[in-house]
PDB file of all heavy atoms in Angstrom:
ATOM      1  N   SER M 527      -4.211  10.794  14.323  1.00  0.00           N
ATOM      2  CA  SER M 527      -3.544  11.915  14.940  1.00  0.00           C
ATOM      3  C   SER M 527      -2.045  11.716  15.138  1.00  0.00           C
ATOM      4  O   SER M 527      -1.364  12.605  15.609  1.00  0.00           O
ATOM      5  CB  SER M 527      -4.185  12.202  16.302  1.00  0.00           C
ATOM      6  OG  SER M 527      -4.046  11.061  17.143  1.00  0.00           O
ATOM      7  N   HIS M 528      -1.523  10.552  14.777  1.00  0.00           N
ATOM      8  CA  HIS M 528      -0.106  10.290  15.001  1.00  0.00           C
ATOM      9  C   HIS M 528       0.752  11.018  13.977  1.00  0.00           C
ATOM     10  O   HIS M 528       0.489  10.953  12.781  1.00  0.00           O
ATOM     11  CB  HIS M 528       0.168   8.791  14.914  1.00  0.00           C
ATOM     12  CG  HIS M 528      -0.543   7.997  15.964  1.00  0.00           C
ATOM     13  ND1 HIS M 528      -0.087   7.903  17.258  1.00  0.00           N
ATOM     14  CD2 HIS M 528      -1.685   7.275  15.917  1.00  0.00           C
ATOM     15  CE1 HIS M 528      -0.906   7.152  17.963  1.00  0.00           C
ATOM     16  NE2 HIS M 528      -1.889   6.760  17.168  1.00  0.00           N
ATOM     17  N   SER M 529       1.783  11.693  14.451  1.00  0.00           N
ATOM     18  CA  SER M 529       2.656  12.425  13.539  1.00  0.00           C
ATOM     19  C   SER M 529       3.708  11.504  12.930  1.00  0.00           C
ATOM     20  O   SER M 529       4.256  11.808  11.874  1.00  0.00           O
ATOM     21  CB  SER M 529       3.332  13.579  14.270  1.00  0.00           C
ATOM     22  OG  SER M 529       4.102  13.078  15.345  1.00  0.00           O
ATOM     23  N   ARG M 530       4.006  10.398  13.589  1.00  0.00           N
ATOM     24  CA  ARG M 530       4.972   9.439  13.065  1.00  0.00           C
ATOM     25  C   ARG M 530       4.260   8.119  12.830  1.00  0.00           C
ATOM     26  O   ARG M 530       3.655   7.563  13.751  1.00  0.00           O
ATOM     27  CB  ARG M 530       6.139   9.262  14.032  1.00  0.00           C
ATOM     28  CG  ARG M 530       6.943  10.532  14.264  1.00  0.00           C
ATOM     29  CD  ARG M 530       8.113  10.310  15.206  1.00  0.00           C
ATOM     30  NE  ARG M 530       9.102   9.453  14.578  1.00  0.00           N
ATOM     31  CZ  ARG M 530       9.444   8.254  15.033  1.00  0.00           C
ATOM     32  NH1 ARG M 530       8.851   7.749  16.099  1.00  0.00           N
ATOM     33  NH2 ARG M 530      10.367   7.536  14.427  1.00  0.00           N
ATOM     34  N   TYR M 531       4.325   7.639  11.624  1.00  0.00           N
ATOM     35  CA  TYR M 531       3.565   6.453  11.256  1.00  0.00           C
ATOM     36  C   TYR M 531       4.200   5.769  10.053  1.00  0.00           C
ATOM     37  O   TYR M 531       5.106   6.309   9.407  1.00  0.00           O
ATOM     38  CB  TYR M 531       2.120   6.841  10.906  1.00  0.00           C
ATOM     39  CG  TYR M 531       2.032   7.900   9.843  1.00  0.00           C
ATOM     40  CD1 TYR M 531       2.035   7.562   8.488  1.00  0.00           C
ATOM     41  CD2 TYR M 531       1.982   9.246  10.178  1.00  0.00           C
ATOM     42  CE1 TYR M 531       1.992   8.534   7.510  1.00  0.00           C
ATOM     43  CE2 TYR M 531       1.929  10.223   9.205  1.00  0.00           C
ATOM     44  CZ  TYR M 531       1.941   9.862   7.879  1.00  0.00           C
ATOM     45  OH  TYR M 531       1.891  10.835   6.913  1.00  0.00           O
ATOM     46  N   ALA M 532       3.736   4.596   9.805  1.00  0.00           N
ATOM     47  CA  ALA M 532       4.088   3.877   8.582  1.00  0.00           C
ATOM     48  C   ALA M 532       2.786   3.561   7.854  1.00  0.00           C
ATOM     49  O   ALA M 532       1.763   3.268   8.479  1.00  0.00           O
ATOM     50  CB  ALA M 532       4.830   2.591   8.896  1.00  0.00           C
ATOM     51  N   ILE M 533       2.833   3.643   6.553  1.00  0.00           N
ATOM     52  CA  ILE M 533       1.642   3.381   5.751  1.00  0.00           C
ATOM     53  C   ILE M 533       2.067   2.668   4.489  1.00  0.00           C
ATOM     54  O   ILE M 533       3.127   2.971   3.925  1.00  0.00           O
ATOM     55  CB  ILE M 533       0.878   4.691   5.461  1.00  0.00           C
ATOM     56  CG1 ILE M 533      -0.461   4.401   4.795  1.00  0.00           C
ATOM     57  CG2 ILE M 533       1.727   5.665   4.658  1.00  0.00           C
ATOM     58  CD1 ILE M 533      -1.401   5.607   4.769  1.00  0.00           C
ATOM     59  N   GLY M 534       1.295   1.689   4.085  1.00  0.00           N
ATOM     60  CA  GLY M 534       1.734   0.909   2.940  1.00  0.00           C
ATOM     61  C   GLY M 534       0.620   0.218   2.189  1.00  0.00           C
ATOM     62  O   GLY M 534      -0.558   0.353   2.531  1.00  0.00           O
ATOM     63  N   TRP M 535       1.038  -0.493   1.161  1.00  0.00           N
ATOM     64  CA  TRP M 535       0.127  -1.240   0.305  1.00  0.00           C
ATOM     65  C   TRP M 535       0.386  -2.733   0.417  1.00  0.00           C
ATOM     66  O   TRP M 535       1.538  -3.163   0.438  1.00  0.00           O
ATOM     67  CB  TRP M 535       0.314  -0.828  -1.151  1.00  0.00           C
ATOM     68  CG  TRP M 535      -0.126   0.566  -1.437  1.00  0.00           C
ATOM     69  CD1 TRP M 535       0.653   1.684  -1.496  1.00  0.00           C
ATOM     70  CD2 TRP M 535      -1.465   0.989  -1.710  1.00  0.00           C
ATOM     71  NE1 TRP M 535      -0.118   2.777  -1.775  1.00  0.00           N
ATOM     72  CE2 TRP M 535      -1.425   2.384  -1.919  1.00  0.00           C
ATOM     73  CE3 TRP M 535      -2.691   0.337  -1.798  1.00  0.00           C
ATOM     74  CZ2 TRP M 535      -2.564   3.122  -2.213  1.00  0.00           C
ATOM     75  CZ3 TRP M 535      -3.825   1.069  -2.091  1.00  0.00           C
ATOM     76  CH2 TRP M 535      -3.751   2.448  -2.289  1.00  0.00           C
ATOM     77  N   PHE M 536      -0.702  -3.465   0.489  1.00  0.00           N
ATOM     78  CA  PHE M 536      -0.668  -4.921   0.459  1.00  0.00           C
ATOM     79  C   PHE M 536      -1.531  -5.388  -0.706  1.00  0.00           C
ATOM     80  O   PHE M 536      -2.365  -4.637  -1.206  1.00  0.00           O
ATOM     81  CB  PHE M 536      -1.216  -5.500   1.760  1.00  0.00           C
ATOM     82  CG  PHE M 536      -0.266  -5.406   2.916  1.00  0.00           C
ATOM     83  CD1 PHE M 536      -0.003  -4.192   3.522  1.00  0.00           C
ATOM     84  CD2 PHE M 536       0.379  -6.528   3.387  1.00  0.00           C
ATOM     85  CE1 PHE M 536       0.878  -4.104   4.590  1.00  0.00           C
ATOM     86  CE2 PHE M 536       1.260  -6.463   4.451  1.00  0.00           C
ATOM     87  CZ  PHE M 536       1.503  -5.237   5.043  1.00  0.00           C
ATOM     88  N   ARG M 537      -1.345  -6.632  -1.107  1.00  0.00           N
ATOM     89  CA  ARG M 537      -2.225  -7.186  -2.120  1.00  0.00           C
ATOM     90  C   ARG M 537      -2.533  -8.637  -1.805  1.00  0.00           C
ATOM     91  O   ARG M 537      -1.756  -9.324  -1.122  1.00  0.00           O
ATOM     92  CB  ARG M 537      -1.628  -7.051  -3.523  1.00  0.00           C
ATOM     93  CG  ARG M 537      -0.335  -7.804  -3.774  1.00  0.00           C
ATOM     94  CD  ARG M 537       0.220  -7.405  -5.144  1.00  0.00           C
ATOM     95  NE  ARG M 537       1.459  -8.109  -5.472  1.00  0.00           N
ATOM     96  CZ  ARG M 537       2.208  -7.827  -6.533  1.00  0.00           C
ATOM     97  NH1 ARG M 537       1.851  -6.847  -7.370  1.00  0.00           N
ATOM     98  NH2 ARG M 537       3.310  -8.511  -6.772  1.00  0.00           N
ATOM     99  N   GLN M 538      -3.675  -9.069  -2.331  1.00  0.00           N
ATOM    100  CA  GLN M 538      -4.132 -10.422  -2.032  1.00  0.00           C
ATOM    101  C   GLN M 538      -4.944 -10.955  -3.195  1.00  0.00           C
ATOM    102  O   GLN M 538      -5.775 -10.247  -3.767  1.00  0.00           O
ATOM    103  CB  GLN M 538      -4.985 -10.421  -0.759  1.00  0.00           C
ATOM    104  CG  GLN M 538      -5.369 -11.795  -0.260  1.00  0.00           C
ATOM    105  CD  GLN M 538      -6.073 -11.718   1.093  1.00  0.00           C
ATOM    106  OE1 GLN M 538      -6.647 -10.699   1.465  1.00  0.00           O
ATOM    107  NE2 GLN M 538      -6.010 -12.809   1.845  1.00  0.00           N
ATOM    108  N   THR M 539      -4.686 -12.218  -3.532  1.00  0.00           N
ATOM    109  CA  THR M 539      -5.489 -12.926  -4.527  1.00  0.00           C
ATOM    110  C   THR M 539      -6.253 -14.036  -3.824  1.00  0.00           C
ATOM    111  O   THR M 539      -5.842 -14.495  -2.744  1.00  0.00           O
ATOM    112  CB  THR M 539      -4.605 -13.506  -5.642  1.00  0.00           C
ATOM    113  OG1 THR M 539      -3.579 -14.316  -5.056  1.00  0.00           O
ATOM    114  CG2 THR M 539      -3.962 -12.392  -6.452  1.00  0.00           C
ATOM    115  N   PRO M 540      -7.344 -14.504  -4.401  1.00  0.00           N
ATOM    116  CA  PRO M 540      -8.170 -15.524  -3.747  1.00  0.00           C
ATOM    117  C   PRO M 540      -7.370 -16.760  -3.362  1.00  0.00           C
ATOM    118  O   PRO M 540      -6.605 -17.298  -4.177  1.00  0.00           O
ATOM    119  CB  PRO M 540      -9.226 -15.847  -4.803  1.00  0.00           C
ATOM    120  CG  PRO M 540      -9.353 -14.589  -5.588  1.00  0.00           C
ATOM    121  CD  PRO M 540      -7.960 -14.033  -5.655  1.00  0.00           C
ATOM    122  N   GLY M 541      -7.526 -17.192  -2.131  1.00  0.00           N
ATOM    123  CA  GLY M 541      -6.864 -18.387  -1.659  1.00  0.00           C
ATOM    124  C   GLY M 541      -5.416 -18.206  -1.223  1.00  0.00           C
ATOM    125  O   GLY M 541      -4.768 -19.164  -0.819  1.00  0.00           O
ATOM    126  N   LYS M 542      -4.925 -16.967  -1.328  1.00  0.00           N
ATOM    127  CA  LYS M 542      -3.535 -16.714  -0.955  1.00  0.00           C
ATOM    128  C   LYS M 542      -3.462 -15.683   0.162  1.00  0.00           C
ATOM    129  O   LYS M 542      -4.405 -14.941   0.404  1.00  0.00           O
ATOM    130  CB  LYS M 542      -2.737 -16.250  -2.162  1.00  0.00           C
ATOM    131  CG  LYS M 542      -2.597 -17.327  -3.220  1.00  0.00           C
ATOM    132  CD  LYS M 542      -1.558 -16.957  -4.253  1.00  0.00           C
ATOM    133  CE  LYS M 542      -1.340 -18.083  -5.245  1.00  0.00           C
ATOM    134  NZ  LYS M 542      -0.295 -17.745  -6.256  1.00  0.00           N
ATOM    135  N   GLU M 543      -2.305 -15.645   0.830  1.00  0.00           N
ATOM    136  CA  GLU M 543      -2.124 -14.703   1.921  1.00  0.00           C
ATOM    137  C   GLU M 543      -1.921 -13.280   1.396  1.00  0.00           C
ATOM    138  O   GLU M 543      -1.445 -13.080   0.272  1.00  0.00           O
ATOM    139  CB  GLU M 543      -0.909 -15.107   2.761  1.00  0.00           C
ATOM    140  CG  GLU M 543      -1.094 -16.413   3.516  1.00  0.00           C
ATOM    141  CD  GLU M 543       0.079 -16.716   4.415  1.00  0.00           C
ATOM    142  OE1 GLU M 543       1.081 -15.989   4.352  1.00  0.00           O
ATOM    143  OE2 GLU M 543      -0.009 -17.683   5.182  1.00  0.00           O
ATOM    144  N   ARG M 544      -2.279 -12.324   2.239  1.00  0.00           N
ATOM    145  CA  ARG M 544      -2.039 -10.931   1.917  1.00  0.00           C
ATOM    146  C   ARG M 544      -0.541 -10.652   2.047  1.00  0.00           C
ATOM    147  O   ARG M 544       0.079 -11.040   3.044  1.00  0.00           O
ATOM    148  CB  ARG M 544      -2.844 -10.049   2.870  1.00  0.00           C
ATOM    149  CG  ARG M 544      -3.020  -8.634   2.449  1.00  0.00           C
ATOM    150  CD  ARG M 544      -4.025  -7.943   3.335  1.00  0.00           C
ATOM    151  NE  ARG M 544      -5.375  -8.473   3.164  1.00  0.00           N
ATOM    152  CZ  ARG M 544      -6.454  -7.926   3.697  1.00  0.00           C
ATOM    153  NH1 ARG M 544      -6.336  -6.825   4.436  1.00  0.00           N
ATOM    154  NH2 ARG M 544      -7.646  -8.469   3.510  1.00  0.00           N
ATOM    155  N   THR M 545       0.041  -9.997   1.053  1.00  0.00           N
ATOM    156  CA  THR M 545       1.484  -9.759   1.056  1.00  0.00           C
ATOM    157  C   THR M 545       1.788  -8.280   0.900  1.00  0.00           C
ATOM    158  O   THR M 545       1.050  -7.546   0.235  1.00  0.00           O
ATOM    159  CB  THR M 545       2.185 -10.536  -0.065  1.00  0.00           C
ATOM    160  OG1 THR M 545       1.635 -10.144  -1.326  1.00  0.00           O
ATOM    161  CG2 THR M 545       2.008 -12.032   0.099  1.00  0.00           C
ATOM    162  N   GLY M 546       2.904  -7.849   1.490  1.00  0.00           N
ATOM    163  CA  GLY M 546       3.315  -6.462   1.408  1.00  0.00           C
ATOM    164  C   GLY M 546       3.851  -6.119   0.028  1.00  0.00           C
ATOM    165  O   GLY M 546       4.631  -6.869  -0.550  1.00  0.00           O
ATOM    166  N   VAL M 547       3.419  -4.982  -0.487  1.00  0.00           N
ATOM    167  CA  VAL M 547       3.878  -4.485  -1.783  1.00  0.00           C
ATOM    168  C   VAL M 547       4.916  -3.389  -1.582  1.00  0.00           C
ATOM    169  O   VAL M 547       5.992  -3.408  -2.165  1.00  0.00           O
ATOM    170  CB  VAL M 547       2.693  -3.949  -2.605  1.00  0.00           C
ATOM    171  CG1 VAL M 547       3.183  -3.320  -3.913  1.00  0.00           C
ATOM    172  CG2 VAL M 547       1.679  -5.053  -2.877  1.00  0.00           C
ATOM    173  N   ALA M 548       4.580  -2.411  -0.765  1.00  0.00           N
ATOM    174  CA  ALA M 548       5.489  -1.300  -0.492  1.00  0.00           C
ATOM    175  C   ALA M 548       4.999  -0.583   0.755  1.00  0.00           C
ATOM    176  O   ALA M 548       3.812  -0.621   1.077  1.00  0.00           O
ATOM    177  CB  ALA M 548       5.549  -0.340  -1.671  1.00  0.00           C
ATOM    178  N   CYS M 549       5.942   0.085   1.413  1.00  0.00           N
ATOM    179  CA  CYS M 549       5.609   0.796   2.642  1.00  0.00           C
ATOM    180  C   CYS M 549       6.459   2.061   2.693  1.00  0.00           C
ATOM    181  O   CYS M 549       7.592   2.086   2.189  1.00  0.00           O
ATOM    182  CB  CYS M 549       5.881  -0.089   3.847  1.00  0.00           C
ATOM    183  SG  CYS M 549       5.543   0.681   5.431  1.00  0.00           S
ATOM    184  N   ILE M 550       5.927   3.108   3.335  1.00  0.00           N
ATOM    185  CA  ILE M 550       6.662   4.348   3.491  1.00  0.00           C
ATOM    186  C   ILE M 550       6.414   4.895   4.887  1.00  0.00           C
ATOM    187  O   ILE M 550       5.307   4.800   5.426  1.00  0.00           O
ATOM    188  CB  ILE M 550       6.252   5.361   2.398  1.00  0.00           C
ATOM    189  CG1 ILE M 550       7.169   6.584   2.416  1.00  0.00           C
ATOM    190  CG2 ILE M 550       4.783   5.756   2.518  1.00  0.00           C
ATOM    191  CD1 ILE M 550       7.007   7.470   1.179  1.00  0.00           C
ATOM    192  N   ASP M 551       7.484   5.458   5.486  1.00  0.00           N
ATOM    193  CA  ASP M 551       7.378   6.098   6.784  1.00  0.00           C
ATOM    194  C   ASP M 551       6.931   7.538   6.614  1.00  0.00           C
ATOM    195  O   ASP M 551       7.063   8.121   5.533  1.00  0.00           O
ATOM    196  CB  ASP M 551       8.748   6.106   7.477  1.00  0.00           C
ATOM    197  CG  ASP M 551       9.041   4.806   8.178  1.00  0.00           C
ATOM    198  OD1 ASP M 551       8.109   4.017   8.324  1.00  0.00           O
ATOM    199  OD2 ASP M 551      10.204   4.611   8.561  1.00  0.00           O
ATOM    200  N   SER M 552       6.482   8.138   7.711  1.00  0.00           N
ATOM    201  CA  SER M 552       6.102   9.545   7.674  1.00  0.00           C
ATOM    202  C   SER M 552       7.299  10.441   7.371  1.00  0.00           C
ATOM    203  O   SER M 552       7.124  11.592   6.964  1.00  0.00           O
ATOM    204  CB  SER M 552       5.462   9.955   8.999  1.00  0.00           C
ATOM    205  OG  SER M 552       6.228   9.503  10.100  1.00  0.00           O
ATOM    206  N   ASP M 553       8.529   9.928   7.542  1.00  0.00           N
ATOM    207  CA  ASP M 553       9.710  10.716   7.178  1.00  0.00           C
ATOM    208  C   ASP M 553      10.111  10.500   5.729  1.00  0.00           C
ATOM    209  O   ASP M 553      11.102  11.084   5.271  1.00  0.00           O
ATOM    210  CB  ASP M 553      10.895  10.388   8.103  1.00  0.00           C
ATOM    211  CG  ASP M 553      11.358   8.946   7.978  1.00  0.00           C
ATOM    212  OD1 ASP M 553      10.819   8.211   7.154  1.00  0.00           O
ATOM    213  OD2 ASP M 553      12.267   8.570   8.739  1.00  0.00           O
ATOM    214  N   GLY M 554       9.363   9.670   4.997  1.00  0.00           N
ATOM    215  CA  GLY M 554       9.601   9.490   3.572  1.00  0.00           C
ATOM    216  C   GLY M 554      10.444   8.297   3.180  1.00  0.00           C
ATOM    217  O   GLY M 554      10.691   8.080   1.988  1.00  0.00           O
ATOM    218  N   THR M 555      10.870   7.499   4.130  1.00  0.00           N
ATOM    219  CA  THR M 555      11.656   6.319   3.800  1.00  0.00           C
ATOM    220  C   THR M 555      10.754   5.220   3.250  1.00  0.00           C
ATOM    221  O   THR M 555       9.782   4.836   3.889  1.00  0.00           O
ATOM    222  CB  THR M 555      12.396   5.799   5.045  1.00  0.00           C
ATOM    223  OG1 THR M 555      13.225   6.828   5.557  1.00  0.00           O
ATOM    224  CG2 THR M 555      13.238   4.589   4.702  1.00  0.00           C
TER     225      THR M 555
END
Side-chain angles (χ1 to χ4, degrees):
S527 61
H528 297 280
S529 60
R530 298 181 68 243
Y531 55 87
I533 188 167
W535 292 97
F536 284 72
R537 63 188 181 188
Q538 187 173 23
T539 54
K542 294 193 175 181
E543 293 185 353
R544 197 170 293 189
T545 59
V547 175
C549 179
I550 189 168
D551 277 347
S552 47
D553 64 3
T555 302

